[in-house]
Amino acid sequence: MNPTERIIRTLEGKPVDRVPTFCAGLEDRTFNEVLGEPWLKTKTIFANPLIKSLLNNWGPKITKTFVQPQITAGMEKRIEAAAALGFDATWALYDETFVLIDSRTMARFTGALFELIDDGFGNMTYMYKAPGIKTREAFNAWPYWPDPDAVAHRAYKFFKKTLAKYGDRVCFCGQASAYGIQESLLWTIGFEKVPLWIRKEKDLVERFITMAEELCLKTSMAMLDAGVKIILQSDDFAFKTGPMMNPKMIESLFGPSYRRIIKSVHDRGGKYILHSCGDNTVLFDMFIDWGVDGLHAYENTSTVDIFKCKERHGDRVTIIGGVGIDYLLTERSRDQEIVDQVKLLIEKLATGGRFILGPIHGMSNMPADKLRVMIDACKKYGVYRTN
Amino acid sequence: MSNALQSVIKAIDELDFDNINNVVQICLDEGISPLSIIQDGICKGLDIVGEKFNTGEYFLADLVMAGEIVNEVMPNLKARMNSSDAVQKGKVVMATVKGDIHEIGKNIVCMLLDANGFEVIDLGIDVPAERIVNTVKEKKASFIGLSCLLSTMVGSIGEVVESLKREGLREKVRVFIGGACTSEQLKDEMGADVYSATAVDAVRTMEKMCGAMT
């Protein structure tokens, strides 16, 4: 059974030979440990006064030519490293959403600002900084709205190439330059202002959702055309103790879009995984009703109880994740603690199938060795017990 | 309680942004003092919203909306208050720890603390321990609220606690932590005092501690 067969059968609730593993994205520190350190780290490049001046003066103009190829190469390394580590599946992300504003700031083309920071290991990474759009005027004047057809075309080319290189070693769960419809809205206008915008600027909120849906739909179709079998959409609907919004509001604002997207993916024979951080307990039934095949995260630092989730919906949807990144997959943990957690997750969640083990998220300080311990333990103890 | 004050409570409870200015103006026209509108109307409305959040009837976005409603009328009410009216429950220094720039959670806590009568000194994001402790010293604050989302930056919480000890302030200040990567276990590991899972929890615990302090 090859990794893609193993993952697809698990998403369908069919028996497989062992519990599969899923990689929730690798950051630079981790894939450099696996593939070898680059001769020049990005922090050094960004610290160069000449480069800095170039970025400060010409950032948006040189993004496509000079910066995007670096980002794309990084995306490919993530996939290559996940395959090299022995994961069955990986979050395969193609990301061309950024425009470099200056040497410290990037804008996502859907209207949010991110700060470029040092990850502590000599690499540049980014963190959400602020909404890029604060008024109706700014919404209409935003200069970087994406062209979904062009984005989808480039996503197709990326996945065609990377699938040919790594597709036989690792199952791609593809996401291409389309972030979650809800989380993109939150980033773009700022979470604190979203409730007000839903009341006062409803037409703009609807325009945004329509645009984001088109982007998700077209990039999903492009990935399927390229040969990707599973679409993975990240959309953080919850925070630590519950949903960001009233579930009824989530259903009315975003439900129709997700239903259309998931149906289109299914119509073309694809599978659909939704990643949502936080405690989604009261939302899970709605996600399942939308048609998702797998749900990822079950964040251990939130109040979600993954074991109760198995009882409640483990026969209707595949549970993915379970391994914490706050402690277990950091340098602070002992290997035996990881093995114990893997055994516990397998014991409680693998019965009856529909479980894929993996980290609940990517993180910049995740040591590759800890992931190896997790994967080895899963392969050793992950015999699938079927009902 | 007057009907006008009841209407303020109802407007906040029902998240009626469009009506809040109107009902506050009726209170003022009836001669109800700005302090009473805040204490007997707005704070009580926020209590109900907080309770509904705790029981799962309201969600984070509703909490934010309630804060926006309060923000809408507070400048007007504060401008009308005498200096002797300004009773603060306590001073809180709020910050996202060094190395972390996530601020949504912190901002929600700040908004709720402010609406509930605390004096909030918001130092923003990526704040070094030294600056937090210097501000506590200068403003004579009773609480520190530290927000941390990234597990890579949890050490910054411990730095604040250590810095407080070095300055001889540890016993005078209560250190609260919150954010995606925080937990009871982390609170103990870093030597903080209180872990709050939600913004409402943080505000309520501070209120209880204020009561115990006075």
Side-chain angles (χ1 to χ4, degrees):
Chain A
M1 193 171 282
N2 71 39
T4 301
E5 285 168 351
R6 190 175 290 122
I7 294 292
I8 288 176
R9 285 181 66 86
T10 306
L11 288 171
E12 289 173 341
K14 293 178 180 165
V16 288
D17 51 351
R18 62 167 171 78
V19 175
T21 51
F22 169 79
C23 175
L26 300 173
E27 301 295 329
D28 293 42
R29 178 249 167 111
T30 319
F31 68 63
N32 284 339
E33 279 180 6
V34 177
L35 304 174
E37 296 290 334
W39 67 276
L40 193 58
K41 291 221 172 181
T42 44
K43 187 185 168 189
T44 314
I45 299 171
F46 273 75
N48 181 298
L50 189 67
I51 302 278
K52 219 181 236 184
S53 160
L54 203 65
L55 296 174
N56 284 334
N57 290 305
W58 298 94
K61 288 184 180 162
I62 61 171
T63 300
K64 207 171 267 181
T65 325
F66 296 104
V67 183
Q68 187 57 46
Q70 300 303 317
I71 296 174
T72 306
M75 299 293 144
E76 188 174 333
K77 281 184 181 176
R78 289 172 174 215
I79 299 168
E80 186 184 357
L85 280 166
F87 277 105
D88 290 300
T90 186
W91 192 329
L93 178 68
Y94 170 68
D95 195 345
E96 60 157 72
T97 57
F98 287 115
V99 178
L100 208 63
I101 303 295
D102 55 44
S103 62
R104 299 271 302 171
T105 318
M106 298 199 297
R108 196 157 256 162
F109 56 28
T110 43
L113 301 177
F114 290 75
E115 186 167 330
L116 277 157
I117 55 158
D118 170 12
D119 71 352
F121 301 95
N123 312 294
M124 296 306 285
T125 185
Y126 57 86
M127 262 192 236
Y128 176 69
K129 184 181 178 188
I133 293 173
K134 292 179 179 167
T135 62
R136 171 172 280 271
E137 292 70 33
F139 187 99
N140 288 322
W142 181 252
Y144 306 118
W145 293 122
D147 171 355
D149 290 301
V151 175
H153 178 65
R154 288 189 288 273
Y156 173 84
K157 291 208 304 194
F158 174 83
F159 282 102
K160 198 79 184 161
K161 179 185 155 200
T162 48
L163 270 167
K165 285 167 92 171
Y166 313 108
D168 58 336
R169 292 160 60 198
V170 67
C171 174
F172 280 43
C173 302
Q175 180 177 7
S177 302
Y179 286 82
I181 299 172
Q182 182 235 210
E183 69 182 13
S184 295
L185 180 71
L186 265 47
W187 293 335
T188 297
I189 56 184
F191 178 69
E192 295 99 318
K193 294 295 169 197
V194 165
L196 215 51
W197 271 57
I198 289 170
R199 287 178 185 223
K200 302 270 177 194
E201 311 283 0
K202 190 136 197 233
D203 61 316
L204 295 187
V205 170
E206 284 168 355
R207 265 171 61 192
F208 185 93
I209 291 171
T210 303
M211 180 270 296
E213 180 189 332
E214 186 186 357
L215 193 60
C216 288
L217 202 53
K218 287 187 167 164
T219 53
S220 294
M221 296 307 108
M223 284 187 281
L224 293 170
D225 286 347
V228 174
K229 308 280 186 209
I230 299 161
I231 304 301
L232 194 157
Q233 184 65 63
S234 59
D235 204 343
D236 294 338
F237 282 101
F239 71 110
K240 201 162 177 148
T241 61
M244 302 270 195
M245 292 182 195
N246 188 317
K248 284 180 189 158
M249 188 178 278
I250 292 175
E251 174 62 63
S252 78
L253 282 174
F254 310 106
S257 296
Y258 275 108
R259 286 173 197 279
R260 281 190 289 269
I261 294 165
I262 295 169
K263 184 177 183 305
S264 300
V265 170
H266 285 164
D267 286 348
R268 285 155 183 80
K271 302 287 176 203
Y272 198 90
I273 296 171
L274 179 69
H275 159 93
S276 178
C277 287
D279 184 350
N280 295 273
T281 302
V282 300
L283 300 175
F284 284 132
D285 282 339
M286 183 174 70
F287 297 153
I288 294 167
D289 196 50
W290 288 355
V292 300
D293 301 290
L295 285 164
H296 176 248
Y298 298 88
E299 206 175 349
N300 62 304
T301 49
S302 78
T303 49
V304 73
D305 184 334
I306 194 169
F307 304 123
K308 279 194 181 143
C309 289
K310 177 71 179 177
E311 288 167 22
R312 285 180 189 150
H313 59 241
D315 57 339
R316 291 179 289 151
V317 74
T318 296
I319 290 173
I320 307 164
V323 184
I325 57 163
D326 57 314
Y327 173 72
L328 279 183
L329 295 177
T330 70
E331 274 153 0
R332 286 150 54 214
S333 71
R334 288 178 292 111
D335 289 357
Q336 189 55 44
E337 291 175 306
I338 299 171
V339 173
D340 291 345
Q341 178 67 6
V342 168
K343 285 165 80 173
L344 177 73
L345 290 169
I346 289 168
E347 184 196 329
K348 301 265 189 184
L349 302 174
T351 307
R354 283 197 176 275
F355 174 57
I356 301 173
L357 184 139
I360 56 110
H361 215 280
M363 185 49 77
S364 59
N365 65 340
M366 204 185 288
D369 281 347
K370 302 287 181 176
L371 289 169
R372 287 192 183 99
V373 172
M374 182 196 77
I375 294 165
D376 289 348
C378 189
K379 286 180 178 170
K380 186 172 176 187
Y381 300 106
V383 179
Y384 240 110
R385 288 183 289 159
T386 50
N387 282 331
Chain B
M1 184 182 289
S2 77
N3 285 341
L5 275 174
Q6 291 282 11
S7 301
V8 172
I9 296 171
K10 188 165 177 264
I12 294 170
D13 175 19
E14 294 177 358
L15 308 174
D16 189 355
F17 187 87
D18 297 330
N19 203 28
I20 190 69
N21 278 311
N22 187 29
V23 292
V24 165
Q25 191 56 50
I26 292 170
C27 287
L28 292 168
D29 292 346
E30 286 186 7
I32 300 170
S33 74
L35 185 63
S36 176
I37 297 171
I38 293 171
Q39 287 181 339
D40 304 324
I42 289 172
C43 286
K44 289 201 169 147
L46 283 173
D47 278 348
I48 297 170
V49 171
E51 193 51 39
K52 286 187 172 178
F53 175 77
N54 279 340
T55 57
E57 189 178 338
Y58 274 174
F59 296 87
L60 194 58
D62 303 318
L63 213 54
V64 170
M65 192 66 197
E68 286 291 337
I69 291 169
V70 174
N71 283 343
E72 180 72 8
V73 288
M74 278 305 242
N76 180 22
L77 291 172
K78 280 185 179 168
R80 289 164 184 264
M81 281 166 69
N82 302 321
S83 55
S84 58
D85 284 344
V87 179
Q88 298 289 351
K89 288 180 181 169
K91 288 184 186 174
V92 189
V93 173
M94 292 290 300
T96 299
V97 297
K98 181 156 178 54
D100 198 337
I101 63 167
H102 295 87
E103 63 176 343
I104 293 172
K106 172 187 68 64
N107 289 349
I108 293 170
V109 176
C110 287
M111 196 162 69
L112 290 180
L113 284 170
D114 186 50
N116 278 282
F118 285 86
E119 183 180 337
V120 181
I121 303 130
D122 182 2
L123 298 180
I125 55 174
D126 191 15
V127 187
E130 193 183 40
R131 189 167 158 227
I132 294 170
V133 174
N134 285 343
T135 309
V136 167
K137 208 191 294 181
E138 184 195 330
K139 302 282 183 183
K140 297 188 169 46
S142 315
F143 301 103
I144 294 174
L146 299 176
S147 174
C148 185
L149 184 133
L150 299 173
S151 60
T152 45
M153 294 303 156
V154 292
S156 302
I157 296 171
E159 285 173 21
V160 174
V161 174
E162 287 308 311
S163 185
L164 282 171
K165 284 181 188 166
R166 278 198 301 276
E167 295 293 328
L169 293 168
R170 185 65 191 93
E171 299 309 315
K172 294 176 184 161
V173 188
R174 293 287 163 265
V175 180
F176 281 58
I177 63 167
C181 70
T182 60
S183 60
E184 280 290 340
Q185 184 193 343
L186 188 75
K187 177 207 83 181
D188 296 337
E189 209 179 316
M190 295 295 149
D193 297 303
V194 179
Y195 154 69
S196 297
T198 68
V200 172
D201 281 352
V203 175
R204 291 203 166 155
T205 311
M206 279 189 204
E207 280 183 324
K208 276 183 202 158
M209 284 183 163
C210 280
M213 284 167 168
T214 51

